[in-house]
Amino acid sequence: QTALVALFEIHHDSIQLRLRLLPSKHQGLEIVNFIDRDRDNAFSDAELNQFGQTVLNTVLLSVGGTVLELKDVKVSTDLPEWLSQGYGQIRIKAKADHAIAQATPTRLEFLIHFDEFAQDWLIQPYFATSLLARDQDPKLQRSAAGVSIVFVAQ
């Protein structure tokens, strides 16, 4: 099965999102065909951007109930020939600007519903080392499609 990984870094002023799709050898060609709309065995910037937006349109990222806009989207990938054989990966990067309030409990929610090739995402948050107060551990609640985190920033 295709491996799906969502990593996000929480900073004082932004959240950096990195998605990775690692095709299995059984789904590699299907994924290549999903991206390569004109079937020329190459990925154009437009095709990669369209794929990135398709995936990101299934993402909900919110802080304190406010839905954040993902911007500065970058999509990169290994060669289609590699992906079709189950090698390589597709990388999607985006960020959301948001100031994290200090000394106040903050709820961050991340959900992703892109399940075209697999349904289980490995979702892992990372906190900037200067963000968390030393005596405050974040509280994570995981679900099938995402994670909810409550933390106090210093």
Side-chain angles (χ1 to χ4, degrees), residues 69-82:
E69 176 188 358
L70 292 168
K71 59 184 188 175
D72 299 335
V73 176
K74 294 183 175 84
V75 182
S76 62
T77 183
D78 293 310
L79 295 172
E81 302 83 53
W82 293 6

Side-chain angles (χ1 to χ4, degrees), residues 1-3 21-31 82-88 117-118:
Q1 188 175 28
T2 295
L21 292 85
L22 297 98
S24 69
K25 78 176 187 178
H26 302 294
Q27 289 183 303
L29 185 58
E30 178 185 359
I31 293 170
W82 293 6
L83 294 174
S84 67
Q85 296 175 38
Y87 303 112
F117 308 110

Side-chain angles (χ1 to χ4, degrees), residues 85-114:
Q85 296 175 38
Y87 303 112
Q89 61 182 299
I90 302 160
R91 297 166 293 276
I92 303 170
K93 292 173 26 175
K95 83 173 204 172
D97 292 328
H98 185 77
I100 302 294
Q102 293 181 337
T104 304
T106 299
R107 175 178 294 279
L108 182 145
E109 293 187 88
F110 173 81
L111 299 170
I112 186 162
H113 296 285
F114 184 77

Side-chain angles (χ1 to χ4, degrees), residues 3-152:
L4 306 171
V5 180
L7 308 170
F8 57 98
E9 300 170 20
I10 305 163
H11 299 272
H12 281 286
D13 60 353
S14 67
I15 299 167
Q16 308 286 332
L17 177 62
R18 288 174 171 64
L19 304 177
R20 302 285 185 265
L21 292 85
L22 297 98
S24 69
K25 78 176 187 178
H26 302 294
Q27 289 183 303
L29 185 58
E30 178 185 359
I31 293 170
V32 167
N33 288 336
F34 188 88
I35 299 170
D36 184 20
R37 301 290 181 169
D38 61 7
R39 303 291 189 260
D40 67 351
N41 295 319
F43 296 144
S44 68
D45 288 342
E47 289 169 328
L48 289 176
N49 291 334
Q50 182 179 4
F51 178 73
Q53 271 316 129
T54 298
V55 175
L56 291 175
N57 285 343
T58 72
V59 169
L60 174 73
L61 179 63
S62 68
V63 174
T66 301
V67 175
L68 304 181
E69 176 188 358
L70 292 168
K71 59 184 188 175
D72 299 335
V73 176
K74 294 183 175 84
V75 182
S76 62
T77 183
D78 293 310
L79 295 172
E81 302 83 53
W82 293 6
L83 294 174
S84 67
Q85 296 175 38
Y87 303 112
Q89 61 182 299
I90 302 160
R91 297 166 293 276
I92 303 170
K93 292 173 26 175
K95 83 173 204 172
D97 292 328
H98 185 77
I100 302 294
Q102 293 181 337
T104 304
T106 299
R107 175 178 294 279
L108 182 145
E109 293 187 88
F110 173 81
L111 299 170
I112 186 162
H113 296 285
F114 184 77
D115 58 3
E116 189 71 32
F117 308 110
Q119 297 187 356
D120 296 322
W121 283 83
L122 169 65
I123 301 171
Q124 185 61 51
Y126 293 94
F127 293 88
T129 54
S130 64
L131 182 68
L132 292 180
R134 294 195 191 281
D135 60 343
Q136 298 287 328
D137 290 330
K139 308 291 186 254
L140 275 75
Q141 182 177 1
R142 295 185 183 272
S143 68
V147 64
S148 176
I149 307 167
V150 175
F151 63 95
V152 177

